[in-house]
Amino acid sequence: MTHTRRFALRALLSFSCGLVGASQHAAAAVSAEEAAKLKTVLTPMGAERAANKDGSIPAWDGGDTKVPPGYKSGDPRPDPYASEKPLFSITAKNMAQYDDKLAEGVKGLLKKYPDQFRVDVYPTHRTAAAPQWVYDNTFKNATRAKTKEGGTWIEGAYGGIPFPIPKSGSEAMWNHLLAWVGSSTSIIYQNWVGLPDGRRVLTAKGYNLVQYPYYDPKGSLETFKGVYELLRVAQTDPPYKSGEQVLAVDSVDKPRQAWQYLSGQRRVRKGPTIGYDTPDDITGGQMGFDEAFIFWGPIDRYDWKLVGKKEVFIPYNNAKLHAAPLDQQHGPVSLNPDLVRWELHRVWVVEAELVAGKRHNMPKRRFYLDEDTWGAVLADGYDAHGTLWHADMSMPFVVPEGPFVHPTLYWTVFNLLTGTRVSAAGPDYPKGPYMKVLDKMLPESAFTPDALAGEGIR
């Protein structure tokens, strides 16, 4: 090949790549005219303001922002809908009547446990809300946020939902990863594995600290350094794991950094396997790390397809469950169906297919993202044979002092093939506060390997 031809080929390839990059960017940031819908027909977060056709999903009226008198963050949250009764129940016997409004994983649970699992459907309440500064940033993000490298990373977003009017599956999943759940929070959690014979085994108790530099109310796009989440998880029980800690640092433009303090070794180690389908030891190895919070971490191993929006029954407004005593929360095959509240909501359906040349133990997954919060509330996971394997669900609840609905805490991963399940990040009142919204950002030094070494003692 002559020098001239090589130069021409390089120029052509460069021009073609530029077109691809431009088209990806054009698909990300919407026009000012389209963004204006966030102040009219869409909510500030990108959901439909209006009710559905029959009114079973009401119009959004601003969400729940009223902090009950005398309430302190971390206390059991009062249930404003305690007097409501189920409109109807869905069981294995009548599930065909509601087929188009059920996730595949939920159908799998109804079939597997026809006498023990059911869906009690209550009136729908659109309680999701956010501070005005989050709404303002979301509006700015609509016309400035872009994806990079095929959706693996993003730029131009800060302090709000990055893609309130998504055009691709990767944009919708970034909305999930960057859902508004406060700037700095702490929870005291418990994780349990349920066995096929109905017994439960404790895998971990402890506390975590979560901070979102992306949602620092004093920050801006210009000062943002790229780290969107800092997560520390400490274990206090069972005794053989007491003192262990994990630190994960996630960014919008670079791979995860993670460390682990192992009390038996009394040292901090890098944790390159804390992610993807590596079995999560904090939940007894019954799920992969990226099934935490329904989906957690890098999205680069999948091609993401935005299937569209549909009406689906999802768990929602579960204050009653969260405030219940521990011995009442769990049933023999799932969380106690007498306490779990389901409602009809519009969700974005996103499908994930494994990228050629990469590996994951679930080559296909489907996620159901609540339109009001962008959190993935339900997920279906398929094995290499195309068999429905995992059914994941969370228990969203209102945090009025945020204000926000936390869409992904207290989640359960059901293994439909073995009959086991893990329920993670659940409350245990009155032994301690569950979730506290901190009144200020913690220092960055609290989220360093040195901090693990200083506190992770046996």
Side-chain angles (χ1 to χ4, degrees):
M1 183 181 291
T2 66
H3 174 76
T4 301
R5 291 180 63 191
R6 285 197 298 269
F7 178 81
L9 180 58
R10 289 195 196 102
L12 179 59
L13 288 174
S14 177
F15 178 70
S16 300
C17 290
L19 285 178
V20 171
S23 64
Q24 290 175 342
H25 282 206
V30 303
S31 67
E33 290 76 16
E34 194 166 8
K37 295 178 181 178
L38 297 170
K39 298 184 177 182
T40 55
V41 297
L42 300 179
T43 73
M45 305 293 253
E48 295 177 42
R49 284 183 185 263
N52 64 351
K53 290 183 179 179
D54 64 6
S56 54
I57 299 175
W60 183 76
D61 62 1
D64 188 346
T65 61
K66 298 178 181 178
V67 180
Y71 168 79
K72 295 181 180 179
S73 190
D75 291 345
R77 289 169 175 85
D79 182 3
Y81 313 116
S83 63
E84 292 185 349
K85 304 298 182 183
L87 299 173
F88 54 89
S89 295
I90 303 173
T91 66
K93 294 181 179 180
N94 67 352
M95 60 184 288
Q97 181 181 346
Y98 306 98
D99 184 77
D100 63 330
K101 290 182 170 59
L102 293 172
E104 293 303 315
V106 174
K107 295 178 190 178
L109 289 166
L110 288 166
K111 293 175 182 177
K112 188 173 182 66
Y113 305 112
D115 299 321
Q116 297 166 306
F117 183 81
R118 73 175 190 275
V119 172
D120 286 346
V121 179
Y122 289 78
T124 297
H125 298 279
R126 297 179 66 181
T127 46
Q132 186 60 47
W133 63 268
V134 173
Y135 294 151
D136 294 341
N137 282 328
T138 299
F139 184 75
K140 294 176 183 176
N141 289 342
T143 55
R144 69 185 181 185
K146 302 175 182 179
T147 59
K148 301 191 296 183
E149 298 184 27
T152 300
W153 313 115
I154 65 172
E155 63 183 6
Y158 181 79
I161 298 301
F163 305 103
I165 306 176
K167 304 298 183 181
S168 68
S170 59
E171 291 179 14
M173 291 308 295
W174 271 108
N175 289 348
H176 159 78
L177 292 173
L178 296 175
W180 163 247
V181 288
S183 299
S184 190
T185 62
S186 176
I187 71 168
I188 295 177
Y189 70 89
Q190 54 169 330
N191 297 342
W192 296 86
V193 167
L195 303 177
D197 61 8
R199 290 179 298 139
R200 286 187 291 112
V201 178
L202 176 70
T203 65
K205 283 189 178 183
Y207 66 90
N208 77 15
L209 297 172
V210 190
Q211 186 145 291
Y212 299 92
Y214 177 88
Y215 278 110
D216 184 346
K218 296 181 179 179
S220 66
L221 179 60
E222 291 69 32
T223 61
F224 180 50
K225 298 178 181 179
V227 173
Y228 70 83
E229 181 184 43
L230 300 164
L231 172 65
R232 275 183 61 182
V233 181
Q235 300 177 69
T236 58
D237 293 284
Y240 74 92
K241 294 185 74 66
S242 179
E244 292 189 6
Q245 292 205 34
V246 168
L247 168 64
V249 179
D250 283 319
S251 303
V252 299
D253 55 2
K254 58 177 66 72
R256 168 178 287 171
Q257 298 290 303
W259 295 265
Q260 189 170 23
Y261 179 87
L262 301 173
S263 54
Q265 300 179 12
R266 298 181 182 274
R267 63 183 299 183
V268 176
R269 292 182 176 273
K270 287 278 286 184
T273 60
I274 296 176
Y276 301 110
D277 56 352
T278 300
D280 180 357
D281 65 298
I282 304 174
T283 57
Q286 298 298 305
M287 51 172 261
F289 274 106
D290 70 1
E291 285 185 278
F293 313 106
I294 307 300
F295 186 84
W296 179 57
I299 68 173
D300 60 304
R301 292 195 180 179
Y302 291 105
D303 286 321
W304 301 89
K305 178 183 178 182
L306 188 62
V307 178
K309 189 181 289 188
K310 64 179 301 186
E311 297 177 5
V312 175
F313 294 116
I314 62 176
Y316 220 89
N317 293 316
N318 272 290
K320 182 178 181 180
L321 170 71
H322 281 266
L326 175 61
D327 61 354
Q328 295 180 20
Q329 293 175 27
H330 296 267
V333 302
S334 66
L335 293 176
N336 186 351
D338 292 338
L339 298 178
V340 176
R341 180 188 180 101
W342 296 74
E343 299 179 358
L344 184 65
H345 286 260
R346 287 182 289 240
V347 301
W348 286 98
V349 180
V350 180
E351 290 188 349
E353 296 277 356
L354 189 63
V355 172
K358 297 197 175 185
R359 66 163 302 281
H360 197 287
N361 61 7
M362 282 190 288
K364 179 181 177 181
R365 300 163 81 173
R366 184 181 297 109
F367 297 89
Y368 304 82
L369 280 58
D370 167 36
E371 71 163 345
D372 287 322
T373 64
W374 288 104
V377 178
L378 299 175
D380 312 321
Y382 296 81
D383 66 13
H385 302 289
T387 303
L388 182 61
W389 179 21
H390 282 191
D392 304 355
M393 66 178 64
S394 64
M395 296 291 133
F397 61 104
V398 175
V399 184
E401 70 271 30
F404 54 83
V405 165
H406 201 306
T408 57
L409 268 186
Y410 205 178
W411 71 94
T412 301
V413 175
F414 297 88
N415 187 323
L416 293 169
L417 301 184
T418 65
T420 58
R421 72 184 190 278
V422 58
S423 294
D428 189 11
Y429 296 118
K431 294 182 179 179
Y434 179 44
M435 179 185 212
K436 280 189 174 182
V437 177
L438 306 183
D439 57 6
K440 61 180 179 180
M441 303 288 282
L442 297 171
E444 292 184 3
S445 59
F447 299 93
T448 63
D450 287 343
L452 295 191
E455 291 189 20
I457 58 176
R458 193 163 189 169

